[in-house]
Amino acid sequence: MRKTKFHILLLIVFLLLTAFNPVSVIAAPDIEKNETPDLSDRVAIVLIVDNSSSMLTSDPEGNRFKVAEMVLELMGEEDYFSLISFSDDADTLLPMANSDSAHLDLAKEILASPPVTAGYSDYMLAFTRAEEELQIVANENLRRFIIFLTDGVPTQENPDFDPDEYIIQMESQLLSIDGNNQGVPVYTVGFGTSDEELLSNISQITRGVSFRGDSDTLAVDFFEILRELKNRYDIIDQRHNGEIEPFNVSVDEYTRRVFLLSRDENGESNLSVESSDGTLVEPAYTMAGNNIYHLLPAEDGSSADYRISGNLEGTIKAVRDTRIKLWITAPKNNSILPLAEEFTIQISQNATIAENTELKLALEYEDAPVDETFKTLSIDTDYYVNFSYLEQTGDYELTASLFLGEQIISQTMLRFTLSEEAEAGQVFIPGVIDVTTPEIINAGETEAIDVQVTNNALYPEQLNIMLDGVQLNNEPIIVAAGETILRQFNVTPRSDDPLLLEIDTFYDATIVRLQYSEIQVEIPTEATTAVATEVRDPSADLAEEAAARQIQRILIIVGITLFFLLLIALIIYLIRRILLKRKPLIKLIGCLIYKTSDDGESHYLNLSGEQPMTVSVGREKNADNHIHSDIEEGFKIILTPIQSDKNETLIELRCTPPGSLTVDGALRTTVLLSDGDRFEMAGLDFKYLLDNKNVKAAEEGEDVLQGRL
């Protein structure tokens, strides 16, 4: 709440300072747009994996879990990742966290013993758990996605289960995720007996994409999904049937990294990737003939070359992750737009548009090129492309490429569908250019006239002001969306004939739907025949200007005072943050109390840290932390902090096979622990206490460690 109040006060000061100039000027587009979620290069991905009994046939090798490691390899350390397994219930195998090396190591450890495959397929439980994981990063500046992998259709043990009603409820649930009635984009991957139409509909209503394949092609499917989510673009897509004719891949100075995927259909790995100095590049990820390579520029940031050779029965794909990013921010990707309705596509980038760069556009309709000339307006970090001629229903794909000479330095893509059933007006709200009537001018006299222009559209407009066919402005005028500008011009009429004021727009009256009948203004020569005109008193104008300057000085003093007060408050706030050294809210806390059979004494396992804690149980110690038990076959437990605050603390305890625990007589593999909870495991009784200081009191009050399984 304090932080919110501070931001509000800072916004007030900014508005006061920007309001000091009494003459309206052209407002430049907001160059901080690359900090909004739509422009962020960071993503949060929840991977949902079907683990119902049908997977024993569809994916006997468990490739669906192995591919989770590949997703982490294709993400950046700035991204977030979570893994959920579902059947009759939904379990979070990997909590939402940064996709760094520690998260990857934890994933490998957990996925080394994936959960037992069994049960039905309850989609809604999985999506509920996914929404909980996305709430962890609700305040982060990133884009959120769900990848949903299944081989079947939604099922439940309930004999009264109604599939049609279930699907209606599920679609409503998907649209409510993120609280914006559009949902989080869901990318579906189906194979086996999955319902292709259902998965396609899930992706369509959430603006995702649906993929169809089998267990062996999961690596390629996920490579394509990450290419789109991370806004990378293809540079290689080849098919080979044997020996590869050697070729080079260049990683230039405009590229962060090239991700190269090789897939051998025979499950072999005979590809050679060699850098220019002769060093062999090892794959960062390998699974059943699928290999991922990271190709980087030189250490000094200059271009680097790699040579590809070897034998392959399959495909080689490579995508480029550029330093300069292009993003299509409006409309949303995979949107359904109304047919024959005018709309504008906004393209932004994370750097100011350079004079020596050129944006080139290519449009495809139903996979066939559309030969059209695009008229594009560029302002600072944004491009605006107007569409008013598309009259065929179907799927379109627009590719935007940023060229520096002959070299592509960035690229992005937009998919959209034109439909007669789409709601009108959801692309942009049409507006008009409004112009005020200038004051009276007499023939032969040179006077200053004020022209005020308002842009009521959602996008900027570039225009020229014409008076009797003569352009009054020297440079084109940019009017931002919703902006009103005031311009003054000196005019000397040659006769007493009425003058005609016109607005010549960049988009030829398309982006704002300009109606010339609404803005043509005749300037009469007599006040008695004028409509909405005014004769000004010069002395009154001077008095008004003096009063305006006085008000301006007062506002400046007030604004500067508020600014320094807020600056002092900000410094005090930052010092307090440093001194208090606030710890993360979610962490392991408390301890487990138990007795062993060898000494009969109480033992305590203290829980601490911000990351999941692994403990071995049995006769042999296989982890940093160990609980001794006389059971024949040992296992591990993983303790994960779910919530830790003054209201409630929740610790998730999950057993790896063949481990289990008993709570109130019920056999489980996973349980959420809160203060005072008890359970039995490995022949021992356990009790979880939130406060370590309560251990002694608990022992004196009652014998909490009596009884054995």
Side-chain angles (χ1 to χ4, degrees), residues 73 75 232 235 249-260 273-277 279 281-282 284 293-308 319-321 323:
E73 287 290 353
M75 297 174 71
R232 299 161 183 157
I235 57 174
V249 176
S250 179
V251 184
D252 59 39
E253 63 271 25
Y254 300 102
T255 304
R256 292 177 181 172
R257 180 176 305 184
V258 168
F259 295 90
L260 187 143
V273 180
E274 184 178 348
S275 63
S276 56
D277 61 1
T279 304
V281 179
E282 295 296 328
Y293 298 87
H294 294 178
L295 310 184
L296 304 174
E299 294 183 358
D300 61 357
S302 60
S303 179
D305 292 323
Y306 295 84
R307 186 171 180 80
I308 314 299
V319 294
R320 183 182 177 207
D321 193 1
R323 299 182 186 276

Side-chain angles (χ1 to χ4, degrees), residues 247-368:
F247 63 92
N248 291 335
V249 176
S250 179
V251 184
D252 59 39
E253 63 271 25
Y254 300 102
T255 304
R256 292 177 181 172
R257 180 176 305 184
V258 168
F259 295 90
L260 187 143
L261 166 70
S262 67
R263 177 178 181 268
D264 192 291
E265 297 170 355
N266 297 323
E268 300 178 355
S269 180
N270 297 317
L271 192 72
S272 174
V273 180
E274 184 178 348
S275 63
S276 56
D277 61 1
T279 304
L280 288 177
V281 179
E282 295 296 328
Y285 169 83
T286 299
M287 180 193 78
N290 296 280
N291 296 287
I292 298 290
Y293 298 87
H294 294 178
L295 310 184
L296 304 174
E299 294 183 358
D300 61 357
S302 60
S303 179
D305 292 323
Y306 295 84
R307 186 171 180 80
I308 314 299
S309 60
N311 280 276
L312 187 73
E313 290 287 340
T315 58
I316 297 178
K317 292 178 175 287
V319 294
R320 183 182 177 207
D321 193 1
T322 57
R323 299 182 186 276
I324 298 177
K325 289 286 187 177
L326 280 179
W327 303 94
I328 296 181
T329 55
K332 299 290 187 182
N333 197 26
N334 302 309
S335 292
I336 300 178
L337 308 179
L339 179 66
E341 179 170 318
E342 179 181 313
F343 64 95
T344 295
I345 290 178
Q346 180 180 359
I347 306 172
S348 302
Q349 66 178 39
N350 59 351
T352 302
I353 299 171
E355 294 182 358
N356 55 346
T357 58
E358 180 184 3
L359 183 73
K360 296 183 180 180
L361 303 171
L363 182 67
E364 291 186 356
Y365 170 70
E366 303 289 358
D367 297 327

